[in-house]
Amino acid sequence: MAVRGHDDAWPRPKSCRVISVANQKGGVGKTTTTVNIAAALAMHGQRVLVVDLDPQGNASTALGMERDNQTQSIYHCLVEDEELRKLVQAAPDIPNLWCAPATIDLAGAEIELVSLVAREARLKRALDAYDTSELDYILIDCPPSLGLLTVNAMVACDEVMIPIQCEYYALEGVGQLLRNVELVQSHLNPGLAISTVVLTMYDGRTRLSQQVADEVRSHFGKLVLTTLVPRSVRVSEAPSYGQSVMTYDPGSTGAVAYLEAAREIAHRAPGLGG
């Protein structure tokens, strides 16, 4: 990975970048994108925390997190006011990478949050109380919905990253996501911005993939990463081994694409530091 990363030092942001990875459509590569970009950043000297806000907990699985009935998860932080630092775990295979895991308890959090004070800002409060001076990135893996968990992520972050799959109906539903981002900007988090769009599941053999890529680029312009993430069996296999594709098969096309995507994100950082 060092060779493919040209072995150069990726620029470190002056302050911790908090990025939500969101798209209410399922199966577009949110979790895969979160985990592999986090791993690629960590492998190139960045200090990264992944917050798993999806009740399915796939990001936690892919990062090899221990999860059982006794595990403290992000649910306990949101609903029971547990401190975030008490539940963060280090990823076993990758230095500089940590995860706040999700457990199935999170499935009921949407309902339980409704009655709580400042329900949209529970995650922001938890992150504000966490010492982020030792972190460069916090990536929040959102659930495939636009409910309270996703709103919590958008209130807590500065940037939104949208994975869009290169398939029919790709842009359907993105309009609703954009409207939600605007609502959060207007009422809860004026500093929120869409910073990155990632094209996933690209198949160069089909005209459709190219048409979708062109359409997304015409709509979002420079927000779209140059790198196209291809369909890759290795990317799909990696989580079943409790790994990201970056450690499972670093030479695969999927790993190389996510490495390049992560490099673009690192070099786009607002207010780069040394």
Side-chain angles (χ1 to χ4, degrees), residues 4 8 20 39 43 53 59 83-84 90 95 105 108 146 149 153 225 267-268 271:
R4 291 188 182 278
D8 53 356
S20 290
M43 290 167 126
L53 267 195
E83 289 182 64
L84 191 59
D105 294 331
L146 293 174
L149 290 175
L225 296 183
H267 284 83
R268 285 179 171 205

Side-chain angles (χ1 to χ4, degrees), residues 189-233:
N189 183 4
L192 183 65
I194 296 168
S195 65
T196 311
V197 176
V198 188
L199 288 163
T200 63
M201 303 180 193
Y202 182 80
D203 187 343
R205 299 168 300 176
T206 68
R207 186 180 297 173
L208 175 63
S209 277
Q210 187 58 56
Q211 287 173 338
V212 171
D214 291 343
E215 189 176 353
V216 171
R217 289 190 195 284
S218 69
H219 192 275
F220 288 102
K222 293 181 179 179
L223 297 181
V224 185
L225 296 183
T226 305
T227 304
L228 298 163
V229 178
R231 283 194 173 278
S232 168
V233 174

Side-chain angles (χ1 to χ4, degrees), residues 41-221:
L41 288 167
M43 290 167 126
H44 285 82
Q46 310 293 314
R47 300 158 300 180
V48 187
L49 170 65
V50 173
V51 176
D52 191 354
L53 267 195
D54 189 342
Q56 296 175 76
N58 293 335
S60 305
T61 301
L63 291 174
M65 295 297 102
E66 292 291 329
R67 292 187 299 150
D68 54 37
N69 294 335
Q70 275 68 53
T71 300
Q72 291 270 289
S73 73
I74 197 69
Y75 165 86
H76 298 93
C77 179
L78 293 174
V79 178
E80 299 179 0
D81 293 320
E82 185 59 85
E83 289 182 64
L84 191 59
R85 64 182 179 82
K86 292 185 178 178
L87 53 95
V88 167
Q89 301 179 35
D93 299 320
I94 305 173
N96 300 321
L97 181 57
W98 296 268
C99 178
T103 55
I104 195 62
D105 294 331
L106 201 55
E110 295 263 2
I111 298 167
E112 293 180 70
L113 283 169
V114 169
S115 61
L116 299 181
V117 175
R119 60 193 180 189
E120 298 94 350
R122 306 286 289 185
L123 182 59
K124 176 175 172 54
R125 190 171 70 176
L127 291 181
D128 286 346
Y130 189 82
D131 181 11
T132 57
S133 63
E134 294 300 310
L135 290 173
D136 298 304
Y137 291 85
I138 297 174
L139 298 181
I140 306 171
D141 185 28
C142 296
S145 72
L146 293 174
L148 264 176
L149 290 175
T150 300
V151 171
N152 261 270
M154 289 187 182
V155 172
C157 73
D158 310 306
E159 306 174 43
V160 178
M161 183 192 305
I162 307 175
I164 298 179
Q165 84 279 36
C166 295
E167 294 181 358
Y168 198 55
Y169 295 138
L171 285 173
E172 190 175 86
V174 173
Q176 185 60 52
L177 174 63
L178 300 182
R179 283 190 289 276
N180 274 45
V181 170
E182 288 172 7
L183 282 171
V184 172
Q185 282 173 328
S186 302
H187 301 288
L188 298 164
N189 183 4
L192 183 65
I194 296 168
S195 65
T196 311
V197 176
V198 188
L199 288 163
T200 63
M201 303 180 193
Y202 182 80
D203 187 343
R205 299 168 300 176
T206 68
R207 186 180 297 173
L208 175 63
S209 277
Q210 187 58 56
Q211 287 173 338
V212 171
D214 291 343
E215 189 176 353
V216 171
R217 289 190 195 284
S218 69
H219 192 275
F220 288 102

